[in-house]
Amino acid sequence: MLLQQIINGLTIGSTYALVSIGFTMVFGVLELTNFANSSLYMLGAYFTLMLYNATGHHFFVALLMSIILTGIAGYCLDRFALRRLRRKNAPKLAGLITTLGMSMIFDNGIMLIFGSESKSFPNQIDLGRFYIGNAIVSWTQVIIMVVAFSLMAILSIIVYGTKLGKAMRSTSQNVEAARLMGININSVIAFTFIISGILACISGTMVGMYYQTVDVNMGTMIGMKTFAAAILGGVGVLPGAVIGGLIIGIIETIAAGYISTGYRDAIAFTILIIVLLFKPTGLFGQKQINKV
Amino acid sequence: MLEGFCTKLQRHHAAITGAVLVITCLIPFCVTSTYVLRICVVAQMNIILVLSLNMMTGLLGQMSFGHAAFFGIGAYTAAILSTKLNMPAQVTFPAAMVVAGLFGILLGLPTLKLKGYYFVIVTMVFCEIMRIVELNWMEVTRGPLGIMTIPKPGFFGLRISTQREFYFLALALVILTVIVIRNIMNSRIGYAILAVRDDEVAAESMGINIFRYKILVFAVASCFAGLAGALYAQYTGYIDPTSFTNNKSNELLVMVIFGGLGNLVGSFIGAITLSVIPELLRGLATYRQLIYGIILVVLMMVKPDGLLGAVNFKYLGQRDKLKPLKDGGKKRGAIWWKKS
Amino acid sequence: MKRSFLTMGMAAVVMASLITGCGAQKPDTGNNSAEISEEKTEVKSEGGEETIQADENQTDDMGKNKLAFFLPLTGDLMQYGLSLQKGAQLAMDQYNEENGTNYIVEFNDDKGDPTESVNVANKIIADETVIAGLGSFNSSCAMAAAPVFEENKLLLLSPTASHTDFPTMGDYIFSCVISQKYEGAMFAEELMERYGDDKKAAIIYQNTDFGVQATELFAKRWEELGGEIVANEAFVPGTTKDFSPIISKIKTQEPDMLYISANYSDAAQIFLQARNLELDALFVGPATCLNEEFIELVGSQIDGTIILSTNPCFMPSVLENAELDANTEAFVKSYEETFDEVPDGFAAQSFDAVNIMMQCIEKVGTDSTALRDEIAALRGFEGVSGYDMQFNESKEMIKGVYVFEMKDGNFYRIN
């Protein structure tokens, strides 16, 4: 049973990891707690479902269009709300509240349009299951984990290996200095938001396929877990977000399986607080935080 | 324009405070509708919550997303003490404050050393932990069934049962909260707290023990949230964990920010406005959260500091006093301006 | 000084407008019955329009000829109110047609708001021609209005109020909904009778007041009947969609039966994940699953699942497949003819409520006390919202259990 529970935990953890990568990336560049991240994730899943039905069940066409749309949503979030704040030199807090407001708008907007019921979501990658000992693993679980790790790898390459990544890193270190170096701050930040939107869309679609349902609360449900995952790994550190997600997932599963199903989240969150006691910057965060 | 108006407010603040107080005391005698009075009591309860949260976020600068947790702890303390042990209100109310305050210290000790955004997440997570505990600890909280038939409060044999009596009880608690917070903020401690908010490093180098002040503020803020919780529990007579979720925390924070961070007058405006508007918009209940979201985003774009966030009454008062006399040498303001 | 008065005046005006603003919103919220009957004439005329009246009302010896139904005809709950209205109207029309009488149902709008329902209740009790009250849709409205009826010794029968405390609010207060208290125990009995060999049951329930109450009584009765509860796990709804840890844990206990009490989307998740984790047990689901959305979520993946309910299912696909009893068939047919749509559970409940009332009026006349005793003595009523309906000693409604089985992604009634 332990093996089965660990596999369950890794799967749940991968879904957290998928969403928290996007969150930690925005955080790395802007030092902004993006509450709207999990709303983008929900939005992405709904776009895919909507387009899947609209295009006559062409899944990959729908996914591609949905990625573009969610990317645009991410861009709009920055362009129409956050950029104004940056121009005004508003306090960091204002940005946080704005994303909170945006997430309320997204969530409730979708709810008013689609209703709050769960919607059935097509599973395009149902390849059956296989056994490791007594434990059952479905291929969907494997795919989710593979996607999480490859997205992390791709993003790491972008951030640490390309010129654009260099611009992102320098923006995160010092906005003024980066501007003086000729970096177009606004486009760098816009780009970050577009990427976080794309990530959110992919993860929303993956999770939707895994559970074969999407609902309006899927974002708020996962939101706090992704914050916890990012914090546990050390905000701004991409591999940290993935590892943090997996750890939270496993703790939660073990807690549910061996201690109490009612308290599963409480136990996971308590462990997060305890870890922060000993490592206030998270597991992989350096004292001098190594931002994106 | 706003500044001019606020200067006038400050100049006559004693008169205005008096007038508002008189009007507030008259309301329950002019209004017979229990419905309106109920809204008033709820608004007053929110004022206590928002004031205490504002002390935490606006004056100390620690963004707390978990204020509803302390509200809930206070409510459950009062509910359990009064239903299981038949304690009178002079015990349950202070007990709710103490227990909530202790939890505040308990959470503050490990977390107040964390950097801002870590603290945000931890308070949020704490609120969720408390909700889960309230839901699952069946023996004590009766979980989702909630605690029913909580007796109405009685202070030393004085029963509070009608809406009007509750109105005055809530009013008294609001005044208590204002006096305590005002006195703290006008004392040496208050200046230290503001110094910590503005620049921790500078404050520390001036010999201020940052951590001690943070804990102090956190404890006081949680205490008053607990007090509001006790009022809520014994007023409504029924509590369950759904009233103490992160949504409630967010709602309170929205009220603080709407009125203006660090501005106590703003807190009144925020709490009253955002308690009354949803009642007026009852027909639009489904759009309520959407409207909240839009208010937040628009407010941040137009006035990132909230309605009165940029207004410093103390400063306005002093400036006004020192202004050269105009208007034909008529002395003005001096009578009303005594202390700020 | 002048300015200070000006500012004070402004403050006063602001305060005053605030107060009157609140006041204007709800002018008549007090439980004051005197002023209300005048205020509410508007509602009455609204009700009058919607009541399809025959010629001049025929009155009986007491001059009473009216059932007063208060329900939400505007506001968020409007759709349910309209269903109730149609069901009640249909029942009354049919009764009048068969018996050549001229009773009427008067519909009053309570907007789904408890304060409003108290106002309407006061209006109803002031009307001399009312035999009994019906309503409201939601428990909170019905419970707010109940004391008014009780004080004035007027019968109140709610077709839909499900709160367990509602029938205990007074001697004249009845509900047509089975109390949650009994549902769990009855399900345990039904399951034991049907699948008596599967003694080891595992329970997963949502940690809400409904989930806790429903499963507590199920578990108790199940063990009394010789069954065994091998696992009893709660989950907090709205925090996760992943039940695999709970299911893996349950699987090690090797249960024969998996009993779920949750809303339909969580139940669907649990069933699907249990199937994926190859939990070999009989799946038993709650009545909340009896809807199109559940079918859409699970498709035909969990065929063989048993769904228990004390209410019949009015989904078109189920109606097509089921062999209906004569009552239900007649009801569905006439409802479709009259309103050009398929009835729902709420219409059926209000149809039954009116019929119960009329059956009793026919027997004992319109005297409230006699009516009360007659209704409390109701046994074996064959309605369309349940079968074998009766009130027990504490005048709570008891109904028979419907058992549905899932086959090819559809529900089939098997008892």
Side-chain angles (χ1 to χ4, degrees):
Chain A
M1 173 172 145
L2 182 63
L3 182 64
Q4 180 72 61
Q5 293 292 27
I6 289 178
I7 292 170
N8 296 338
L10 284 176
T11 318
I12 306 175
S14 319
T15 61
Y16 299 159
L18 276 172
V19 188
S20 65
I21 298 175
F23 171 76
T24 214
M25 206 168 103
V26 170
F27 192 94
V29 173
L30 277 179
E31 276 210 9
L32 171 75
T33 312
N34 184 7
F35 281 102
N37 190 53
S38 43
S39 300
L40 285 178
Y41 152 85
M42 181 268 301
L43 200 66
Y46 266 87
F47 276 145
T48 312
L49 179 63
M50 206 170 67
L51 291 165
Y52 178 76
N53 292 329
T55 56
H57 299 207
H58 289 292
F59 180 73
F60 287 99
V61 180
L63 179 61
L64 203 69
M65 284 164 70
S66 160
I67 285 178
I68 296 169
L69 278 179
T70 323
I72 293 174
Y75 174 77
C76 292
L77 174 66
D78 175 54
R79 179 65 187 83
F80 297 112
L82 295 171
R83 190 182 288 186
R84 286 179 64 108
L85 292 180
R86 277 203 301 280
R87 203 166 49 219
K88 281 190 169 180
N89 248 333
K92 284 239 161 66
L93 186 74
L96 185 141
I97 302 296
T98 303
T99 58
L100 183 67
M102 286 305 252
S103 113
M104 282 162 127
I105 295 176
F106 282 143
D107 286 358
N108 290 287
I110 289 285
M111 188 162 81
L112 290 173
I113 299 169
F114 290 96
S116 55
E117 310 89 43
S118 301
K119 297 264 178 294
S120 161
F121 198 91
N123 185 355
Q124 292 290 321
I125 49 169
D126 195 359
L127 301 172
R129 342 177 244 269
F130 61 94
Y131 297 83
I132 305 176
N134 276 331
I136 302 161
V137 189
S138 79
W139 281 107
T140 320
Q141 291 175 311
V142 177
I143 293 172
I144 287 183
M145 223 182 298
V146 170
V147 169
F149 276 100
S150 22
L151 284 180
M152 179 192 85
I154 295 171
L155 280 182
S156 300
I157 292 170
I158 294 180
V159 169
Y160 297 108
T162 63
K163 213 171 166 188
L164 189 66
K166 211 178 229 171
M168 286 161 86
R169 277 178 292 148
S170 52
T171 309
S172 80
Q173 278 165 10
N174 191 328
V175 177
E176 285 310 312
R179 185 172 307 166
L180 290 175
M181 292 297 124
I183 294 170
N184 186 340
I185 301 294
N186 279 337
S187 11
V188 169
I189 291 175
F191 179 73
T192 317
F193 270 93
I194 292 172
I195 291 197
S196 87
I198 292 174
L199 282 175
C201 176
I202 295 175
S203 39
T205 308
M206 298 291 301
V207 174
M209 275 198 290
Y210 178 53
Y211 293 121
Q212 296 176 36
T213 54
V214 288
D215 63 81
V216 179
N217 292 323
M218 64 192 278
T220 38
M221 226 181 250
I222 208 172
M224 214 179 299
K225 298 282 176 54
T226 58
F227 297 151
I231 291 271
L232 188 66
V235 259
V237 188
L238 287 179
V242 175
I243 306 288
L246 293 180
I247 292 177
I248 294 269
I250 290 175
I251 292 175
E252 185 187 324
T253 320
I254 301 284
Y258 293 93
I259 305 172
S260 156
T261 46
Y263 284 108
R264 66 191 260 188
D265 290 356
I267 293 169
F269 288 145
T270 311
I271 288 182
L272 168 77
I273 295 183
I274 293 171
V275 169
L276 289 181
L277 273 184
F278 296 103
K279 275 193 82 72
T281 48
L283 290 177
F284 300 94
Q286 303 298 312
K287 188 95 189 167
Q288 193 84 44
I289 296 179
N290 184 12
K291 282 173 269 171
V292 176
Chain B
M1 193 193 83
L2 182 66
E3 198 167 273
F5 180 67
C6 289
T7 314
K8 271 180 204 149
L9 280 183
Q10 171 65 27
R11 195 181 298 150
H12 309 300
H13 80 273
I16 294 169
T17 316
V20 168
L21 209 60
V22 168
I23 293 170
T24 336
C25 287
L26 287 178
I27 288 178
F29 297 102
C30 307
V31 183
T32 48
S33 155
T34 50
Y35 173 73
V36 173
L37 282 181
R38 190 179 64 79
I39 297 173
C40 293
V41 176
V42 171
Q44 284 172 321
M45 184 190 81
N46 281 335
I47 290 174
I48 303 177
L49 286 168
V50 171
L51 279 174
S52 56
L53 182 61
N54 199 356
M55 186 175 180
M56 182 80 207
T57 49
L59 299 173
L60 183 69
Q62 291 283 334
M63 215 6 96
S64 167
F65 270 75
H67 212 54
F70 302 108
F71 178 48
I73 291 168
Y76 269 99
T77 311
I80 291 166
L81 282 180
S82 57
T83 49
K84 294 205 171 149
L85 304 172
N86 282 322
M87 292 284 187
Q90 70 264 26
V91 179
T92 57
F93 277 60
M97 289 177 80
V98 170
V99 174
L102 284 179
F103 269 93
I105 295 172
L106 198 73
L107 177 68
L109 280 179
T111 53
L112 280 169
K113 285 185 174 155
L114 296 175
K115 259 186 124 175
Y117 32 86
Y118 282 90
F119 184 77
V120 165
I121 308 283
V122 168
T123 48
M124 199 182 212
V125 156
F126 176 73
C127 191
E128 181 69 6
I129 293 178
M130 288 317 298
R131 181 179 81 99
I132 294 172
V133 171
E134 282 157 12
L135 261 180
N136 284 292
W137 199 2
M138 291 296 288
E139 298 80 29
V140 175
T141 62
R142 298 197 356 114
L145 303 177
I147 298 180
M148 272 179 277
T149 57
I150 303 166
K152 300 283 176 226
F155 291 91
F156 304 105
L158 178 71
R159 286 254 141 231
I160 309 278
S161 51
T162 63
Q163 292 285 346
R164 191 180 290 168
E165 285 159 6
F166 267 109
Y167 181 92
F168 283 110
L169 172 65
L171 185 63
L173 296 181
V174 170
I175 292 173
L176 175 75
T177 316
V178 172
I179 291 176
V180 170
I181 294 182
R182 237 185 102 88
N183 282 346
I184 290 181
M185 291 321 293
N186 280 337
S187 70
R188 245 178 68 91
I189 305 172
Y191 289 102
I193 291 170
L194 291 179
V196 171
R197 174 189 70 181
D198 291 339
D199 193 331
E200 287 195 16
V201 182
E204 198 156 30
S205 62
M206 300 299 281
I208 295 172
N209 185 339
I210 298 181
F211 192 61
R212 195 198 293 158
Y213 285 109
K214 279 189 178 174
I215 288 286
L216 175 83
V217 173
F218 207 22
V220 172
S222 331
C223 266
F224 281 105
L227 180 67
L231 175 66
Y232 176 74
Q234 300 209 286
Y235 173 57
T236 57
Y238 170 78
I239 51 168
D240 70 352
T242 51
S243 317
F244 314 115
T245 58
N246 276 303
N247 273 344
K248 179 71 186 170
S249 298
N250 290 353
E251 212 169 278
L252 291 174
L253 200 61
V254 171
M255 288 179 187
V256 170
I257 290 161
F258 185 85
L261 278 170
N263 192 311
L264 297 186
V265 179
S267 290
F268 275 85
I269 297 175
I272 294 173
T273 322
L274 294 183
S275 307
V276 171
I277 286 183
E279 294 296 331
L280 298 179
L281 299 179
R282 203 158 257 292
L284 297 172
T286 34
Y287 302 96
R288 183 169 153 190
Q289 292 287 327
L290 185 69
I291 293 170
Y292 264 24
I294 294 171
I295 289 180
L296 271 187
V297 173
V298 171
L299 193 71
M300 284 301 116
M301 280 182 186
V302 181
K303 284 189 84 64
D305 298 309
L307 278 185
L308 298 179
V311 178
N312 184 339
F313 280 106
K314 196 178 279 181
Y315 164 72
L316 287 179
Q318 286 165 349
R319 191 181 67 177
D320 190 48
K321 194 190 174 195
L322 297 174
K323 233 191 228 168
L325 302 176
K326 280 192 223 153
D327 301 339
K330 232 191 277 171
K331 203 171 182 206
R332 54 163 212 208
I335 303 163
W336 300 113
W337 194 90
K338 282 180 198 124
K339 60 181 196 303
S340 58
Chain C
M1 282 307 287
K2 214 176 179 181
R3 288 193 183 201
S4 80
F5 281 124
L6 197 81
T7 340
M8 271 170 66
M10 272 170 65
V13 167
V14 169
M15 287 303 275
S17 62
L18 205 78
I19 296 158
T20 48
C22 304
Q25 175 67 10
K26 288 264 146 66
D28 47 359
T29 41
N31 298 1
N32 209 332
S33 59
E35 56 178 280
I36 278 141
S37 43
E38 294 146 30
E39 296 263 3
K40 284 294 122 196
T41 41
E42 173 198 324
V43 171
K44 187 175 178 181
S45 65
E46 203 180 327
E49 276 165 33
E50 275 151 3
T51 313
I52 305 154
Q53 272 172 274
D55 45 359
E56 278 305 295
N57 302 333
Q58 165 203 313
T59 51
D60 67 352
D61 47 335
M62 314 261 299
K64 293 179 173 182
N65 70 332
K66 211 191 269 178
L67 295 180
F69 205 147
F70 59 108
L71 69 180
L73 291 171
T74 52
D76 292 340
L77 301 171
M78 184 176 88
Q79 43 170 329
Y80 308 112
L82 292 177
S83 284
L84 291 179
Q85 189 186 22
K86 287 175 185 162
Q89 192 62 57
L90 184 67
M92 194 48 105
D93 289 348
Q94 285 182 355
Y95 181 86
N96 282 335
E97 206 172 298
E98 277 167 30
N99 298 290
T101 48
N102 259 327
Y103 289 103
I104 55 171
V105 198
E106 182 192 75
F107 297 99
N108 299 284
D109 186 9
D110 69 11
K111 302 185 176 116
D113 180 353
T115 354
E116 201 71 18
S117 76
V118 173
N119 299 339
V120 177
N122 278 306
K123 188 197 134 213
I124 291 172
I125 55 124
D127 187 341
E128 289 291 325
T129 60
V130 171
I131 308 167
L134 294 167
S136 171
F137 170 70
N138 46 346
S139 294
S140 52
C141 282
M143 289 174 83
V148 180
F149 283 89
E150 179 65 17
E151 271 165 33
N152 293 279
K153 296 202 170 16
L154 194 64
L155 206 61
L156 173 62
L157 175 65
S158 171
T160 47
S162 59
H163 198 287
T164 41
D165 293 342
F166 179 68
T168 65
M169 288 183 75
D171 291 341
Y172 291 85
I173 312 299
F174 292 85
S175 170
C176 285
V177 180
I178 181 168
S179 170
Q180 284 159 17
K181 276 190 252 174
Y182 302 103
E183 222 178 39
M186 285 166 61
F187 287 170
E189 282 161 20
E190 185 70 31
L191 282 174
M192 194 45 99
E193 196 177 301
R194 225 164 243 284
Y195 308 99
D197 298 336
D198 301 335
K199 290 222 183 313
K200 285 161 76 179
I203 302 175
I204 301 179
Y205 64 98
Q206 65 177 14
N207 204 345
T208 58
D209 52 354
F210 177 76
V212 171
Q213 282 175 346
T215 49
E216 205 172 292
L217 292 152
F218 172 83
K220 202 171 143 227
R221 189 76 188 129
W222 184 254
E223 284 182 332
E224 278 170 12
L225 293 170
E228 191 189 340
I229 306 286
V230 293
N232 197 350
E233 301 287 345
F235 69 92
V236 181
T239 54
T240 186
K241 265 198 291 190
D242 200 304
F243 299 97
S244 54
I246 310 182
I247 294 164
S248 305
K249 186 179 176 183
I250 284 175
K251 203 181 156 191
T252 58
Q253 310 286 333
E254 294 174 350
D256 303 316
M257 183 184 290
L258 177 64
Y259 182 85
I260 308 293
S261 179
N263 63 26
Y264 76 90
S265 58
D266 285 335
Q269 275 310 320
I270 294 173
F271 286 139
L272 288 177
Q273 290 174 23
R275 188 198 54 115
N276 280 336
L277 287 167
E278 297 176 358
L279 180 69
D280 183 24
L282 176 73
F283 295 171
V284 181
T288 47
C289 295
L290 289 172
N291 58 32
E292 300 284 357
E293 287 81 11
F294 181 77
I295 294 283
E296 204 180 298
L297 293 180
V298 297
S300 56
Q301 297 182 71
I302 53 164
D303 282 358
T305 297
I306 301 293
I307 309 285
L308 297 175
S309 169
T310 48
N311 290 319
C313 176
F314 284 100
M315 278 165 56
S317 53
V318 175
L319 291 178
E320 271 168 35
N321 298 313
E323 288 166 31
L324 304 171
D325 53 274
N327 268 341
T328 316
E329 199 170 354
F331 167 66
V332 172
K333 204 167 155 237
S334 52
Y335 192 95
E336 278 175 340
E337 274 169 12
T338 319
F339 302 110
D340 205 21
E341 63 183 33
V342 187
D344 58 13
F346 301 118
Q349 275 166 314
S350 74
F351 184 84
D352 278 354
V354 171
N355 277 333
I356 289 175
M357 200 58 103
M358 293 319 293
Q359 190 184 332
C360 295
I361 291 173
E362 201 176 314
K363 277 189 197 156
V364 298
T366 57
D367 178 60
S368 273
T369 317
L371 261 182
R372 176 196 69 188
D373 297 338
E374 183 59 31
I375 286 200
L378 183 85
R379 297 286 180 273
F381 181 80
E382 293 300 320
V384 295
S385 67
Y387 66 95
D388 206 9
M389 294 163 75
Q390 52 181 291
F391 286 102
N392 68 3
E393 289 74 32
S394 42
K395 65 188 189 48
E396 292 158 314
M397 175 59 83
I398 307 280
K399 291 179 186 177
V401 178
Y402 291 85
V403 184
F404 295 92
E405 187 179 357
M406 292 200 68
K407 253 183 262 166
D408 307 323
N410 208 340
F411 304 111
Y412 288 85
R413 186 177 165 191
I414 55 170
N415 72 336

